[in-house]
Amino acid sequence: VALIAVAGLLSPAAAFDETRDPWIRGTFTGHSPRAPRLPESAAWSEAVRLVDRTPGAFILVGTGRSMEPLYPAGTLLVLRETDYAGLRSGQTVVYRNSSARAVGHVLVAKARDGWRVKGLNNASHDREPVLAGNLIGVVVAAFQPVADRSQPVARSRRPSGRAVFLSDRGR
């Protein structure tokens, strides 16, 4: 029994939370909010409360694996419409690609033809840049809902018509 307990203490996965570092897998994410794990009803309540008091804010639900471990699938992302000139490296933005899909990735570099963005699990940046014309918003808060098995999920807190599901297909 003592050997099992010691092995658990020495496990790098148990002791290391990759999302605490501003650099995740070689990409600067220091201006992207971290997503606390909350019971599902609390996560929705917090997201709705923030949207209600933030002009130009709305909720997106992340899908896919491109932004793990920062934003696992199902993470509630609170976005705010923002001025393109105010963007900076390390922010997570959502933009509409040429296939008309909403994609959420991290700003990595400003280039002559727009911002380069990258999913944390992608080998390289997206083919298309983020421009003022395809920018949807910047992530200002995130909440990772987890099932609370001790209480029924308060599905009524989900804001009907105010949450959109986000694609991770930026290519």
Side-chain angles (χ1 to χ4, degrees), residues 31 54-58 78-88 91-95 107 115 130-140:
H31 297 297
T54 306
F58 53 98
V78 177
L79 278 84
R80 181 178 44 82
E81 296 169 347
T82 191
D83 182 33
Y84 181 80
L87 296 177
R88 59 187 176 165
Q91 288 180 309
T92 298
V93 298
V94 175
Y95 73 100
L107 295 171
W115 277 95
V130 172
L131 306 166
N134 67 358
L135 176 65
I136 295 173
V138 63
V139 176
V140 295

Short mmCIF file of all heavy atoms in Angstrom, two decimals, residues 31 54-58 78-88 91-95 107 115 130-140:
data_model
loop_
_atom_site.label_atom_id
_atom_site.label_comp_id
_atom_site.label_asym_id
_atom_site.label_seq_id
_atom_site.Cartn_x
_atom_site.Cartn_y
_atom_site.Cartn_z
N HIS A 31 -2.40 35.33 -22.38
CA HIS A 31 -3.51 36.29 -22.36
C HIS A 31 -4.85 35.61 -22.62
O HIS A 31 -5.82 36.26 -23.00
CB HIS A 31 -3.26 37.40 -23.37
CG HIS A 31 -2.05 38.21 -23.07
ND1 HIS A 31 -1.92 38.97 -21.91
CD2 HIS A 31 -0.89 38.35 -23.73
CE1 HIS A 31 -0.73 39.55 -21.91
NE2 HIS A 31 -0.09 39.19 -22.99
N THR A 54 -21.80 42.13 -19.41
CA THR A 54 -20.72 42.54 -20.31
C THR A 54 -21.29 42.87 -21.68
O THR A 54 -21.74 41.97 -22.40
CB THR A 54 -19.67 41.40 -20.45
OG1 THR A 54 -19.23 41.02 -19.15
CG2 THR A 54 -18.49 41.84 -21.29
N PRO A 55 -21.28 44.13 -22.07
CA PRO A 55 -21.80 44.50 -23.39
C PRO A 55 -21.02 43.78 -24.51
O PRO A 55 -19.80 43.66 -24.46
CB PRO A 55 -21.55 46.01 -23.46
CG PRO A 55 -21.42 46.45 -22.03
CD PRO A 55 -20.81 45.28 -21.31
N GLY A 56 -21.76 43.28 -25.50
CA GLY A 56 -21.15 42.61 -26.64
C GLY A 56 -20.64 41.21 -26.34
O GLY A 56 -19.89 40.65 -27.14
N ALA A 57 -21.04 40.62 -25.20
CA ALA A 57 -20.55 39.29 -24.84
C ALA A 57 -21.59 38.22 -25.19
O ALA A 57 -22.79 38.49 -25.24
CB ALA A 57 -20.23 39.22 -23.35
N PHE A 58 -21.10 37.01 -25.42
CA PHE A 58 -21.96 35.87 -25.73
C PHE A 58 -21.19 34.60 -25.38
O PHE A 58 -19.99 34.64 -25.13
CB PHE A 58 -22.40 35.89 -27.19
CG PHE A 58 -21.28 36.00 -28.17
CD1 PHE A 58 -20.76 34.87 -28.80
CD2 PHE A 58 -20.72 37.23 -28.47
CE1 PHE A 58 -19.71 34.97 -29.70
CE2 PHE A 58 -19.66 37.34 -29.37
CZ PHE A 58 -19.16 36.21 -29.99
N VAL A 78 -16.79 32.46 -22.91
CA VAL A 78 -17.48 33.74 -22.95
C VAL A 78 -16.63 34.64 -23.84
O VAL A 78 -15.46 34.89 -23.54
CB VAL A 78 -17.66 34.35 -21.55
CG1 VAL A 78 -18.32 35.72 -21.66
CG2 VAL A 78 -18.47 33.41 -20.66
N LEU A 79 -17.22 35.08 -24.93
CA LEU A 79 -16.53 35.94 -25.88
C LEU A 79 -17.10 37.34 -25.83
O LEU A 79 -18.27 37.53 -25.47
CB LEU A 79 -16.68 35.41 -27.31
CG LEU A 79 -15.70 34.32 -27.67
CD1 LEU A 79 -16.19 33.00 -27.21
CD2 LEU A 79 -15.41 34.35 -29.12
N ARG A 80 -16.28 38.27 -26.20
CA ARG A 80 -16.71 39.67 -26.31
C ARG A 80 -16.27 40.18 -27.66
O ARG A 80 -15.14 39.91 -28.10
CB ARG A 80 -16.07 40.50 -25.19
CG ARG A 80 -16.46 41.97 -25.20
CD ARG A 80 -15.84 42.76 -24.05
NE ARG A 80 -14.45 42.49 -23.81
CZ ARG A 80 -13.42 43.02 -24.48
NH1 ARG A 80 -13.65 43.86 -25.45
NH2 ARG A 80 -12.18 42.73 -24.16
N GLU A 81 -17.16 40.87 -28.32
CA GLU A 81 -16.77 41.55 -29.55
C GLU A 81 -15.68 42.54 -29.19
O GLU A 81 -15.74 43.18 -28.14
CB GLU A 81 -17.98 42.26 -30.16
CG GLU A 81 -19.08 41.29 -30.58
CD GLU A 81 -20.37 41.99 -30.93
OE1 GLU A 81 -20.52 43.20 -30.64
OE2 GLU A 81 -21.24 41.31 -31.49
N THR A 82 -14.67 42.64 -30.03
CA THR A 82 -13.54 43.50 -29.71
C THR A 82 -13.00 44.17 -30.95
O THR A 82 -13.24 43.73 -32.08
CB THR A 82 -12.44 42.69 -29.00
OG1 THR A 82 -11.47 43.57 -28.46
CG2 THR A 82 -11.77 41.71 -29.94
N ASP A 83 -12.25 45.22 -30.74
CA ASP A 83 -11.61 45.95 -31.83
C ASP A 83 -10.39 45.18 -32.30
O ASP A 83 -9.54 44.79 -31.49
CB ASP A 83 -11.22 47.35 -31.33
CG ASP A 83 -10.59 48.19 -32.40
OD1 ASP A 83 -10.96 48.04 -33.58
OD2 ASP A 83 -9.71 49.00 -32.06
N TYR A 84 -10.26 44.96 -33.58
CA TYR A 84 -9.15 44.22 -34.17
C TYR A 84 -7.80 44.84 -33.77
O TYR A 84 -6.84 44.11 -33.49
CB TYR A 84 -9.31 44.22 -35.69
CG TYR A 84 -8.24 43.47 -36.43
CD1 TYR A 84 -8.28 42.09 -36.52
CD2 TYR A 84 -7.20 44.14 -37.05
CE1 TYR A 84 -7.31 41.38 -37.21
CE2 TYR A 84 -6.22 43.45 -37.75
CZ TYR A 84 -6.28 42.07 -37.82
OH TYR A 84 -5.31 41.39 -38.51
N ALA A 85 -7.73 46.13 -33.69
CA ALA A 85 -6.47 46.81 -33.36
C ALA A 85 -6.00 46.50 -31.94
O ALA A 85 -4.81 46.63 -31.64
CB ALA A 85 -6.62 48.32 -33.53
N GLY A 86 -6.89 46.05 -31.07
CA GLY A 86 -6.52 45.77 -29.69
C GLY A 86 -6.07 44.33 -29.44
O GLY A 86 -5.76 43.99 -28.30
N LEU A 87 -6.02 43.51 -30.47
CA LEU A 87 -5.60 42.12 -30.28
C LEU A 87 -4.13 42.03 -29.92
O LEU A 87 -3.34 42.88 -30.32
CB LEU A 87 -5.85 41.31 -31.57
CG LEU A 87 -7.30 41.17 -32.01
CD1 LEU A 87 -7.38 40.40 -33.32
CD2 LEU A 87 -8.14 40.51 -30.94
N ARG A 88 -3.78 40.95 -29.17
CA ARG A 88 -2.37 40.73 -28.82
C ARG A 88 -2.07 39.24 -28.74
O ARG A 88 -2.96 38.42 -28.46
CB ARG A 88 -2.00 41.45 -27.54
CG ARG A 88 -2.80 41.05 -26.34
CD ARG A 88 -2.48 41.93 -25.16
NE ARG A 88 -3.35 41.57 -24.06
CZ ARG A 88 -3.16 41.91 -22.83
NH1 ARG A 88 -2.13 42.65 -22.51
NH2 ARG A 88 -3.98 41.56 -21.89
N GLN A 91 -3.79 35.72 -26.85
CA GLN A 91 -5.23 35.72 -26.64
C GLN A 91 -5.84 34.60 -27.47
O GLN A 91 -5.36 34.29 -28.56
CB GLN A 91 -5.86 37.04 -27.10
CG GLN A 91 -5.58 38.22 -26.22
CD GLN A 91 -6.25 39.47 -26.76
OE1 GLN A 91 -6.09 39.81 -27.92
NE2 GLN A 91 -6.98 40.15 -25.90
N THR A 92 -6.93 34.04 -26.97
CA THR A 92 -7.71 33.10 -27.78
C THR A 92 -8.84 33.88 -28.42
O THR A 92 -9.55 34.62 -27.73
CB THR A 92 -8.27 31.95 -26.92
OG1 THR A 92 -7.17 31.22 -26.36
CG2 THR A 92 -9.12 31.01 -27.76
N VAL A 93 -8.96 33.75 -29.73
CA VAL A 93 -10.01 34.42 -30.48
C VAL A 93 -10.84 33.39 -31.22
O VAL A 93 -10.42 32.25 -31.41
CB VAL A 93 -9.44 35.43 -31.50
CG1 VAL A 93 -8.67 36.54 -30.81
CG2 VAL A 93 -8.60 34.74 -32.56
N VAL A 94 -12.02 33.80 -31.61
CA VAL A 94 -12.85 33.00 -32.49
C VAL A 94 -13.03 33.81 -33.77
O VAL A 94 -13.31 35.00 -33.73
CB VAL A 94 -14.21 32.67 -31.85
CG1 VAL A 94 -15.12 31.93 -32.83
CG2 VAL A 94 -14.01 31.85 -30.58
N TYR A 95 -12.78 33.13 -34.89
CA TYR A 95 -12.93 33.77 -36.19
C TYR A 95 -13.71 32.84 -37.12
O TYR A 95 -13.84 31.65 -36.85
CB TYR A 95 -11.57 34.12 -36.79
CG TYR A 95 -10.78 32.94 -37.30
CD1 TYR A 95 -10.74 32.63 -38.65
CD2 TYR A 95 -10.05 32.12 -36.43
CE1 TYR A 95 -10.02 31.55 -39.13
CE2 TYR A 95 -9.32 31.04 -36.90
CZ TYR A 95 -9.31 30.75 -38.24
OH TYR A 95 -8.60 29.67 -38.71
N LEU A 107 -3.87 33.50 -30.82
CA LEU A 107 -3.09 34.42 -31.66
C LEU A 107 -1.62 34.18 -31.39
O LEU A 107 -1.17 34.26 -30.24
CB LEU A 107 -3.44 35.87 -31.33
CG LEU A 107 -4.87 36.32 -31.62
CD1 LEU A 107 -5.10 37.71 -31.03
CD2 LEU A 107 -5.14 36.32 -33.11
N TRP A 115 -3.45 38.24 -38.51
CA TRP A 115 -2.93 37.47 -37.37
C TRP A 115 -2.86 35.99 -37.71
O TRP A 115 -3.80 35.43 -38.26
CB TRP A 115 -3.83 37.64 -36.16
CG TRP A 115 -3.57 38.88 -35.37
CD1 TRP A 115 -4.21 40.07 -35.49
CD2 TRP A 115 -2.61 39.02 -34.33
NE1 TRP A 115 -3.70 40.96 -34.58
CE2 TRP A 115 -2.71 40.34 -33.85
CE3 TRP A 115 -1.68 38.18 -33.75
CZ2 TRP A 115 -1.92 40.82 -32.83
CZ3 TRP A 115 -0.88 38.65 -32.73
CH2 TRP A 115 -1.01 39.98 -32.28
N VAL A 130 -6.42 35.69 -39.28
CA VAL A 130 -7.55 36.39 -38.68
C VAL A 130 -7.45 37.84 -39.12
O VAL A 130 -6.40 38.47 -38.99
CB VAL A 130 -7.53 36.28 -37.14
CG1 VAL A 130 -8.61 37.17 -36.53
CG2 VAL A 130 -7.72 34.84 -36.71
N LEU A 131 -8.55 38.35 -39.64
CA LEU A 131 -8.64 39.73 -40.13
C LEU A 131 -9.77 40.44 -39.40
O LEU A 131 -10.61 39.79 -38.77
CB LEU A 131 -8.92 39.74 -41.63
CG LEU A 131 -7.96 38.93 -42.50
CD1 LEU A 131 -8.53 38.74 -43.89
CD2 LEU A 131 -6.62 39.62 -42.54
N ALA A 132 -9.83 41.74 -39.53
CA ALA A 132 -10.93 42.48 -38.91
C ALA A 132 -12.28 41.97 -39.42
O ALA A 132 -13.25 41.90 -38.66
CB ALA A 132 -10.77 43.97 -39.18
N GLY A 133 -12.35 41.56 -40.68
CA GLY A 133 -13.59 41.12 -41.28
C GLY A 133 -14.06 39.72 -40.90
O GLY A 133 -15.23 39.40 -41.09
N ASN A 134 -13.16 38.87 -40.38
CA ASN A 134 -13.61 37.53 -40.01
C ASN A 134 -13.51 37.26 -38.50
O ASN A 134 -13.84 36.18 -38.04
CB ASN A 134 -12.86 36.45 -40.80
CG ASN A 134 -11.38 36.35 -40.47
OD1 ASN A 134 -10.84 37.11 -39.67
ND2 ASN A 134 -10.71 35.41 -41.12
N LEU A 135 -13.09 38.27 -37.74
CA LEU A 135 -13.00 38.15 -36.29
C LEU A 135 -14.40 38.16 -35.68
O LEU A 135 -15.20 39.06 -35.96
CB LEU A 135 -12.18 39.31 -35.71
CG LEU A 135 -12.08 39.39 -34.19
CD1 LEU A 135 -11.32 38.19 -33.64
CD2 LEU A 135 -11.40 40.69 -33.79
N ILE A 136 -14.70 37.15 -34.86
CA ILE A 136 -15.98 37.10 -34.16
C ILE A 136 -15.84 37.69 -32.77
O ILE A 136 -16.68 38.47 -32.33
CB ILE A 136 -16.50 35.65 -34.09
CG1 ILE A 136 -16.80 35.14 -35.51
CG2 ILE A 136 -17.73 35.55 -33.20
CD1 ILE A 136 -17.17 33.67 -35.57
N GLY A 137 -14.79 37.32 -32.05
CA GLY A 137 -14.60 37.86 -30.71
C GLY A 137 -13.39 37.25 -30.03
O GLY A 137 -12.75 36.34 -30.54
N VAL A 138 -13.10 37.78 -28.85
CA VAL A 138 -11.98 37.31 -28.04
C VAL A 138 -12.53 36.64 -26.79
O VAL A 138 -13.53 37.10 -26.22
CB VAL A 138 -11.01 38.46 -27.70
CG1 VAL A 138 -11.67 39.53 -26.84
CG2 VAL A 138 -9.76 37.96 -27.04
N VAL A 139 -11.89 35.55 -26.35
CA VAL A 139 -12.33 34.84 -25.15
C VAL A 139 -11.95 35.68 -23.93
O VAL A 139 -10.78 36.01 -23.74
CB VAL A 139 -11.71 33.43 -25.06
CG1 VAL A 139 -12.09 32.75 -23.75
CG2 VAL A 139 -12.13 32.57 -26.24
N VAL A 140 -12.96 36.05 -23.11
CA VAL A 140 -12.71 36.84 -21.91
C VAL A 140 -12.88 36.03 -20.63
O VAL A 140 -12.46 36.45 -19.56
CB VAL A 140 -13.60 38.11 -21.86
CG1 VAL A 140 -13.24 39.06 -23.00
CG2 VAL A 140 -15.08 37.76 -21.88
#
